[in-house]
Amino acid sequence: ANQFPGASETIWTVWNGHWRTLRRPILRVPHVPGATYEDLWTGTQLQPTVRRGMAELSLQLDCRGIACVLQSRP
């Protein structure tokens, strides 16, 4: 994954190098209380599983596809 941090937002891009679609947690990032997450390709709000201060984000990532995830912080 590539990370692009900002003052109140961070964007991650992720590439699926596999020849199969992934439907599982694909990104684990530091969680900030009150942060929201969005799949920027689909406009879908993501609901993370938060464990020990980390947000696990699940989404569908097509074979050889790219995802772009936004974390917005208060």
Side-chain angles (χ1 to χ4, degrees), residues 31-73:
H31 178 66
V32 175
T36 59
Y37 300 87
E38 181 181 353
D39 177 339
L40 292 177
W41 288 156
T42 65
T44 305
Q45 290 296 315
L46 302 173
Q47 300 302 318
T49 300
V50 179
R51 293 188 186 127
R52 297 186 193 117
M54 300 297 286
E56 291 182 356
L57 299 157
S58 296
L59 58 136
Q60 178 174 312
L61 188 51
D62 292 334
C63 150
R64 312 293 281 180
I66 298 171
C68 187
V69 175
L70 169 69
Q71 177 196 61
S72 297
R73 297 179 297 277

Side-chain angles (χ1 to χ4, degrees), residues 3-37:
Q3 179 180 5
F4 303 93
S8 62
E9 299 176 328
T10 298
I11 292 176
W12 289 271
T13 57
V14 183
W15 178 64
N16 177 6
H18 299 286
W19 291 102
R20 67 183 185 284
T21 297
L22 301 176
R23 292 179 188 89
R24 59 182 172 92
I26 64 158
L27 192 60
R28 188 170 181 255
V29 300
H31 178 66
V32 175
T36 59
Y37 300 87

